[in-house]
Amino acid sequence: MNYFCYLDSSGDLDHTNLQLYSLEQAADAWNELLDTVSDVGLNNVDRLQERLAFIVSCFGLSLSQLLGQNCPSPDREKIDQPGELLSNILNKTSEDRTTKRLLNSTFKDFLKYYGAIRHFGRNIDNGNYEMVQKLTINELDRFRKMTIKIWDLVINIYRQDKENEIDAEISSIADVVRLPSFSVQKL
């Protein structure tokens, strides 16, 4: 299967790339948020927590699809948890131990927010609500960097398989999806 050769489902080909579409939605919301922060300042952004949570949701959907769809499982009916899938991916890379630890640690932090957002119904101790309230734009920027790095690692792994037709001009997912960093100095 060629998971990365099609950027979207429009056109003549009958393929979808939902993980990329989810990342594009995150990028659209992220870029809109950065523009708004630039215009009105961080403290004056309407519905800031909702926007941050939406972007986390899109990052999470994209990554869970990316890791789950593209990681073979011996039992096709059961897919490993995202943290285990990431570990499997990292074991296939030549990244140094420090980078692997940092990605695992950041991903673990990310999953706390993503889990709280996905399970936002009634909860006994309001832990999910408190977790979402702790989310900041700086924390989201850290997750943005992590998401790009994971995408790049997966693309590089699948680029090694000649069955996958990945555009040679794409060196990073950031070449396809615009996700600039957040910088207070720019504002």
Side-chain angles (χ1 to χ4, degrees):
M1 293 182 127
N2 298 330
Y3 293 111
F4 296 105
C5 56
Y6 307 109
L7 295 183
D8 61 43
S9 58
S10 60
D12 297 333
L13 303 172
D14 186 26
H15 290 72
T16 60
N17 192 331
L18 295 175
Q19 63 267 36
L20 181 60
Y21 181 77
S22 299
L23 184 61
E24 290 169 336
Q25 295 307 300
D28 289 347
W30 174 254
N31 293 326
E32 181 182 310
L33 176 60
L34 292 184
D35 289 345
T36 302
V37 169
S38 179
D39 290 345
V40 302
L42 185 59
N43 294 330
N44 296 315
V45 173
D46 286 333
R47 303 181 80 172
L48 178 62
Q49 290 310 120
E50 289 89 341
R51 289 173 165 200
L52 297 175
F54 177 76
I55 297 167
V56 165
S57 294
C58 291
F59 282 159
L61 186 56
S62 174
L63 289 172
S64 62
Q65 292 167 343
L66 179 72
L67 297 173
Q69 180 179 3
N70 292 296
C71 190
S73 173
D75 179 5
R76 294 190 183 271
E77 299 301 315
K78 180 184 179 288
I79 300 293
D80 291 332
Q81 293 296 313
E84 293 171 38
L85 293 170
L86 178 60
S87 290
N88 293 340
I89 293 291
L90 291 175
N91 289 335
K92 295 176 183 178
T93 69
S94 60
E95 294 295 317
D96 61 80
R97 288 172 45 148
T98 303
T99 301
K100 288 178 182 181
R101 282 188 193 137
L102 179 62
L103 272 173
N104 272 320
S105 172
T106 305
F107 193 65
K108 188 182 287 187
D109 292 344
F110 171 79
L111 288 176
K112 291 175 191 172
Y113 288 103
Y114 183 53
I117 292 165
R118 288 183 332 113
H119 302 101
F120 208 63
R122 186 175 174 169
N123 60 101
I124 295 170
D125 64 357
N126 290 329
N128 291 344
Y129 306 123
E130 291 168 5
M131 192 74 199
V132 172
Q133 287 303 318
K134 289 196 283 186
L135 184 58
T136 66
I137 196 166
N138 288 316
E139 189 75 344
L140 186 58
D141 192 43
R142 185 169 75 110
F143 300 148
R144 177 198 61 81
K145 292 174 198 167
M146 173 208 67
T147 299
I148 292 169
K149 181 68 174 173
I150 292 171
W151 263 89
D152 289 350
L153 289 172
V154 171
I155 288 172
N156 286 331
I157 288 169
Y158 284 91
R159 186 184 303 276
Q160 296 168 16
D161 183 345
K162 303 236 186 284
E163 293 295 314
N164 293 310
E165 301 169 18
I166 302 170
D167 189 339
E169 293 179 19
I170 298 173
S171 63
S172 170
I173 195 65
D175 296 336
V176 177
V177 178
R178 187 177 152 269
L179 278 161
S181 65
F182 171 71
S183 174
V184 176
Q185 291 80 20
K186 291 181 183 176
L187 303 176

